[in-house]
Amino acid sequence: MKTPMLPLLLLITQLLLITILPFASADLVDDTCKKTPYADFCVSALRSDSRSSTADTPKLGLIMVDKVEVNAKSTLTKIKDLLPKSPDPGMKQALTSCGELYNVIISMDVPPSKESLTKGDYKFAEEYMTDAATEASICEAGFGVKSPLSNSNDYVNKAASVASAIARLLL
Amino acid sequence: MPKPFPMAEPNPVRSSIDHEDPEYAPLSGGAKPEDRRRPTKVILAGLSVLLVIGMMLGFFTDTKPDFCTQANDALLSMTREGAGPRSIPAEAVVRPGARGVKEGVSDKSSRIIAGVNVPSFPWNNSMLSWQRTAFHFQPEKNWMNDPNGPMYYKGWYHFFYQYNPEGAVWGNIVWGHAVSEDLIHWLHLPLAMVADQWYDVNGVWSGSATILPDGQVVMLYTGSSNESVQLQNLAYPADLSDPLLVHWVKHPGNPVLAPPPCINKLDFRDPTTAWYTSGGKWRIAIGAKINKTGMSLVYETEDFKNYKLLPGMLHAVPGTGMWECVDFFPVSEDGLDTSVNGPGVKHVMKVSLDDDRHDYYSIGTYDEKANTWVPDNPEIDVGIGIRYDYGIFYASKTFYDQNKRRRILWGWITESDSEAADVQKGWASLQGIPRTIVLDTKTGSNLLQWPVEEVESLRLSSKEFDSIEVKTGTVVPLDVGTATQVDIVAEFELDKQALGATPEADADYSCGASGGASQRGALGPFGLLVLADDGLSEQTPVYFYVVKGPNGTLKTSICTDQLRSSEASDVVKHVYGSFVPVLEGEKLSVRIMVDHSIVETFAQGGRSCITARVYPTKAIYGAARVFLFNNATEANVKASLKIWQMNSAFIRPYSDQ
């Protein structure tokens, strides 16, 4: 039997290309994160979400916004939990402010950022994720020396900064 | 019966596999071994041939030069010529480049990049409610952004705008609507268009109006579809005999345009007003980008329902990113209808750059036949040269006012306070006072913008100050009472002797890189302090800064300094501004309109404009004052000015009474 060389070759090439593609997406995570302020954080956060292996840049941004949302919600829960347990008025005040700030993050920063990244008017995601990062910083600053929310604030600040930077890449 | 192009489909993304018949029947049992081997070979060969044919079809479907093939070629040649990412143009002749890395990020992001944990200010309702303006267009509450479809129709100026009915942040965008008889006293009408069709359910985005010679009104706008594709749609008034144009109908054949194959479906928006060509057809431009090259596509139409994408692109500039809210219009010393063309007519190309949130324009020549526009001075091409406004001013759009034969410019002025404050006060964004636009025939290289004359109908009492000597290092209070709603027209003259004696400066001046009004130079800064309290704990200087160059040439900058504008630290504090051309024999002149949290500055008759948002905590209500100041070290200054108190425009919902 004579093997048809040319068509076979073409078919093999096609199959090779199909197998290479997923690896191209994984490089997108590295490429994208390199251009954000917290590259290592960005990589580990994105890769922890299975969607990142086949995501395009806007979707990577959306994954990051999801991280902001999830962590902001858990931080808010922590705040509500800490408030009744805090006798110190300064601490109470700081926690209350943080509660307001995290409400803003969840209800006012996350929705327009998601909308922006989904619909393609990316400047709004850049803007609102920057706001979210600032709000987390403001919350942290309110405690002075000892903050019970340092890890949470740090995470949200980083995640929002990265999300903002990703949106910036799309402009 | 016109055939819509491209075909309108409820689901534009559809797999073609559904419609293919299976090519080969499965092998039946009982086939002989030799027969089995031959079908495998045939299948393999057949599939491969199909593959090759498919690839060839993909590459060679259209042998005519079409937009996408040309676009790719054009981009390649641009990169080869080394026109890479835009650089700051050389200064000298016209105007130094305004764009620098420090301005390349949004105002807000520069705050956190600085690594500072900014404490939030305890804003109270009194401070926040003071921020609402008295005579600038804004809805009663919630978020607003781009101006849309401005026009004059049957005795009314119409204004539409991007609006979020659900909150003080961007999202859920629909079209708000208001009317006015004089561009100043606005009356709110019901929403003109909401997101109720599959092709705009994710956002009724920006668009423009075209009034046809027979009186029809055509509105083209971008819809974000159910699959988030950016599509262009047609709408028109339900009842042309209603001068208020309250109700609008969306064309049943929508969408009328989808992104061409080489354009990302999320980079295709903001159709312009149409212009009529010598060939008897209408053309519109739509902004897009390929990689980092911003561009404007041009479509031709006769009925606004069927379009042809013209080959080539009106213009493109590498490195500028997405071109939003493209505007394209003829200019002269008078206002011109959008369709005017002819030898000697200059055309303005304007874009809103997504990349840095600034509006840029350039003056050049339109070649209708070739579908190109070429800038007079490529060094100040669109996106790398002149800005309409050196403060906050975006998504701007002009229209031709056939009533008074002028071209009018609208611009979206966003907030620069904290987002939490916007949420607390329940609203965000203003529109600038509409400006007339003409070509500056004295310089020939820039436009002049000036608040529409109708704003002067708000002027109440005034006070005039003639030839006040302001010595170096002094501040002169101006007794006009409360200064939260004022219109100031001022002229300044530097002491001629000091001017001559001052040696050549060793450096240029840049508002944005400077320390603002407290940074002293030989011949500046001097000007006015607005929204300043008596103790000057809060102040917003608007000033001139003159630098002497080689051969005694003078270079003047106009700046607005927010550095000490508020005790709150959660507001943007920049020094905005730019170089402004001052011709031989001209005095330094400036007009400043203060309306609560907005300060608009127009220098040298509107050659350079600056819009700033200011959020004082103390210099509000009765405590807001105005001062003259001169912080120069060498030259005294003589100032003559007139200050009017401004009435409210009483912007409110329309009612039949």
Side-chain angles (χ1 to χ4, degrees):
Chain A
M1 159 196 123
K2 256 197 295 192
T3 16
M5 281 313 298
L6 186 59
L8 192 61
L9 215 61
L10 284 168
L11 204 63
I12 290 170
T13 320
Q14 282 292 311
L15 288 165
L16 267 170
L17 284 169
I18 291 165
T19 50
I20 284 171
L21 276 172
F23 291 102
S25 282
D27 285 329
L28 186 62
V29 171
D30 286 324
D31 271 344
T32 306
C33 288
K34 255 189 285 200
K35 301 169 193 167
T36 69
Y38 305 103
D40 294 336
F41 168 88
C42 172
V43 169
S44 72
L46 287 175
R47 289 213 204 280
S48 75
D49 189 311
S50 59
R51 294 175 289 171
S52 65
S53 58
T54 50
D56 57 7
T57 314
K59 291 246 163 48
L60 290 177
L62 278 165
I63 294 172
M64 216 63 219
V65 174
D66 279 345
K67 296 280 180 199
V68 171
E69 183 176 28
V70 164
N71 282 276
K73 286 184 168 157
S74 67
T75 308
L76 191 59
T77 308
K78 205 181 291 179
I79 291 169
K80 290 184 175 155
D81 186 59
L82 286 170
L83 260 170
K85 299 177 188 165
S86 308
D88 175 49
M91 177 68 73
K92 246 191 164 64
Q93 166 76 358
L95 284 169
T96 309
S97 304
C98 284
E100 285 162 11
L101 288 163
Y102 272 89
N103 263 321
V104 170
I105 293 175
I106 294 161
S107 60
M108 297 290 165
D109 292 322
V110 166
S113 299
K114 283 187 177 169
E115 186 166 347
S116 161
L117 283 163
T118 313
K119 298 177 185 178
D121 198 345
Y122 303 115
K123 60 181 180 286
F124 293 109
E126 190 204 3
E127 195 82 30
Y128 288 109
M129 280 292 108
T130 298
D131 282 331
T134 306
E135 279 137 22
S137 294
I138 294 173
C139 162
E140 186 66 11
F143 289 103
V145 182
K146 187 116 167 55
S147 160
L149 300 175
S150 289
N151 287 335
S152 304
N153 285 330
D154 185 56
Y155 189 98
V156 172
N157 178 275
K158 285 200 165 84
S161 303
V162 167
S164 178
I166 294 177
R168 178 143 194 83
L169 297 174
L170 296 160
L171 294 177
Chain B
M1 172 71 169
K3 183 172 180 280
F5 171 79
M7 283 300 295
E9 288 183 333
N11 290 298
V13 178
R14 195 172 14 144
S15 167
S16 55
I17 292 171
D18 304 341
H19 296 267
E20 281 178 8
D21 298 323
E23 286 281 342
Y24 298 98
L27 291 171
S28 54
K32 287 183 227 142
E34 345 33 289
D35 290 337
R36 205 172 283 134
R37 218 176 292 134
R38 217 180 299 125
T40 321
K41 268 203 288 185
V42 171
I43 290 169
L44 208 66
L47 279 171
S48 311
V49 167
L50 272 174
L51 208 73
V52 176
I53 291 174
M55 282 163 60
M56 286 172 65
L57 279 174
F59 285 123
F60 302 116
T61 17
D62 203 334
T63 48
K64 280 184 294 184
D66 74 337
F67 172 81
C68 283
T69 358
Q70 286 198 347
N72 290 317
D73 290 342
L75 290 174
L76 268 168
S77 68
M78 269 187 218
T79 347
R80 253 185 262 127
E81 282 159 28
R86 58 189 161 131
S87 51
I88 300 169
E91 302 199 349
V93 185
V94 189
R95 189 181 294 256
R99 189 179 186 273
V101 171
K102 60 189 172 295
E103 293 175 50
V105 294
S106 75
D107 280 342
K108 286 187 182 181
S109 59
S110 58
R111 259 186 293 152
I112 53 160
I113 284 168
V116 176
N117 281 340
V118 177
S120 59
F121 187 82
W123 295 99
N124 62 37
N125 285 333
S126 172
M127 294 167 185
L128 293 178
S129 45
W130 174 88
Q131 292 174 10
R132 270 192 86 85
T133 63
F135 56 91
H136 283 73
F137 181 82
Q138 56 181 127
E140 296 180 286
K141 57 178 181 165
N142 293 342
W143 166 274
M144 163 173 69
N145 52 296
D146 306 2
N148 296 146
M151 60 177 179
Y152 178 83
Y153 182 79
K154 286 201 158 96
W156 292 90
Y157 288 97
H158 287 262
F159 181 68
F160 305 87
Y161 55 97
Q162 299 282 278
Y163 179 65
N164 181 357
E166 294 174 37
V169 295
W170 179 80
N172 319 300
I173 296 295
V174 297
W175 274 38
H177 186 192
V179 288
S180 167
E181 289 178 293
D182 65 355
L183 288 169
I184 296 297
H185 296 87
W186 292 95
L187 302 168
H188 297 301
L189 290 176
L191 299 176
M193 292 196 286
V194 295
D196 57 4
Q197 302 298 319
W198 68 266
Y199 50 77
D200 63 12
V201 68
N202 272 323
V204 189
W205 287 358
S206 295
S208 312
T210 307
I211 303 184
L212 306 188
D214 65 2
Q216 279 189 82
V217 174
V218 158
M219 194 72 85
L220 288 171
Y221 72 95
T222 302
S224 178
S225 75
N226 59 349
E227 291 181 357
S228 294
V229 178
Q230 290 169 12
L231 303 168
Q232 315 311 323
N233 305 294
L234 166 64
Y236 40 84
D239 178 7
L240 281 169
S241 68
D242 168 23
L244 298 183
L245 299 178
V246 173
H247 300 292
W248 288 77
V249 169
K250 294 177 185 175
H251 171 52
N254 277 337
V256 294
L257 281 174
C262 55
I263 299 291
N264 188 300
K265 62 192 174 91
L266 299 182
D267 295 332
F268 181 68
R269 53 186 182 269
D270 311 332
T272 64
T273 294
W275 62 93
Y276 197 66
T277 67
S278 59
K281 308 224 170 107
W282 292 94
R283 288 189 185 172
I284 58 164
I286 300 183
K289 70 168 171 142
I290 293 180
N291 298 328
K292 268 308 220 185
T293 298
M295 59 186 57
S296 50
L297 313 187
V298 177
Y299 288 85
E300 206 166 64
T301 182
E302 289 182 81
D303 59 2
F304 290 91
K305 295 169 183 168
N306 303 286
Y307 294 81
K308 179 175 109 177
L309 174 54
L310 295 184
M313 55 192 92
L314 193 55
H315 199 55
V317 180
T320 50
M322 179 64 187
W323 281 13
E324 299 195 293
C325 301
V326 167
D327 200 3
F328 181 67
F329 55 89
V331 271
S332 74
E333 62 221 329
D334 305 308
L336 297 175
D337 179 281
T338 313
S339 300
V340 166
N341 197 6
V345 172
K346 303 260 82 176
H347 273 75
V348 169
M349 185 85 214
K350 170 261 161 186
V351 301
S352 290
L353 287 194
D354 217 1
D355 201 354
D356 66 4
R357 239 75 94 240
H358 295 316
D359 280 5
Y360 293 83
Y361 75 83
S362 189
I363 300 170
T365 307
Y366 173 45
D367 182 340
E368 185 196 277
K369 239 201 186 83
N371 183 31
T372 58
W373 170 90
V374 174
D376 285 346
N377 182 350
E379 282 190 5
I380 47 168
D381 201 346
V382 146
I384 61 173
I386 306 178
R387 284 164 51 179
Y388 269 143
D389 190 294
Y390 290 89
I392 295 184
F393 192 87
Y394 194 69
S396 62
K397 184 183 289 297
T398 65
F399 74 102
Y400 178 64
D401 168 15
Q402 70 273 27
N403 178 40
K404 288 194 171 178
R405 298 191 206 277
R406 48 185 181 174
R407 183 155 291 271
I408 310 260
L409 172 70
W410 281 94
W412 165 41
I413 319 294
T414 194
E415 300 294 312
S416 62
D417 63 353
S418 77
E419 195 218 341
D422 295 347
V423 169
Q424 200 180 335
K425 70 197 191 195
W427 61 270
S429 295
L430 309 170
Q431 297 292 329
I433 291 291
R435 307 171 181 179
T436 53
I437 290 213
V438 293
L439 182 64
D440 184 353
T441 48
K442 292 190 183 144
T443 62
S445 55
N446 55 266
L447 299 174
L448 292 174
Q449 305 163 62
W450 197 249
V452 290
E453 59 184 4
E454 289 92 331
V455 77
E456 293 160 34
S457 72
L458 298 173
R459 288 174 169 171
L460 298 169
S461 59
S462 67
K463 219 160 183 179
E464 207 154 348
F465 304 86
D466 198 39
S467 300
I468 298 188
E469 178 95 24
V470 191
K471 291 202 160 70
T472 58
T474 63
V475 172
V476 176
L478 296 169
D479 182 19
V480 293
T482 306
T484 56
Q485 290 168 217
V486 288
D487 188 0
I488 305 170
V489 170
E491 256 178 14
F492 294 88
E493 235 182 310
L494 278 164
D495 176 55
K496 286 200 171 59
Q497 208 184 5
L499 207 54
T502 303
E504 183 182 321
D506 54 7
D508 255 335
Y509 186 79
S510 153
C511 301
S514 77
S518 56
Q519 180 185 317
R520 309 187 73 179
L523 305 171
F526 57 89
L528 288 137
L529 305 176
V530 299
L531 293 175
D533 58 336
D534 278 323
L536 296 179
S537 66
E538 291 181 333
Q539 51 178 278
T540 301
V542 176
Y543 65 87
F544 287 104
Y545 194 101
V546 179
V547 166
K548 200 179 206 182
N551 303 323
T553 57
L554 298 173
K555 218 167 181 192
T556 309
S557 295
I558 179 75
C559 318
T560 299
D561 173 5
Q562 298 173 311
L563 298 175
R564 287 168 297 166
S565 61
S566 174
E567 290 198 345
S569 38
D570 58 353
V571 297
V572 167
K573 288 178 181 172
H574 283 335
V575 184
Y576 295 132
S578 81
F579 157 79
V580 57
V582 178
L583 303 180
E584 191 75 47
E586 285 181 359
K587 289 206 183 109
L588 295 177
S589 68
V590 68
R591 180 172 181 187
I592 306 170
M593 289 203 305
V594 179
D595 183 6
H596 297 261
S597 60
I598 183 171
V599 175
E600 285 162 303
T601 299
F602 302 85
Q604 297 312 107
R607 281 194 191 122
S608 281
C609 312
I610 308 170
T611 302
R613 300 301 308 277
V614 182
Y615 307 96
T617 64
K618 287 214 178 82
I620 60 178
Y621 297 110
R625 302 264 174 268
V626 127
F627 299 81
L628 275 169
F629 83 98
N630 179 6
N631 215 14
T633 54
E634 302 304 316
N636 293 338
V637 143
K638 210 177 276 186
S640 296
L641 58 157
K642 195 162 181 183
I643 304 182
W644 289 265
Q645 290 291 339
M646 295 294 270
N647 201 355
S648 166
F650 301 106
I651 297 173
R652 65 196 182 280
Y654 181 90
S655 80
D656 285 322
Q657 280 90 48

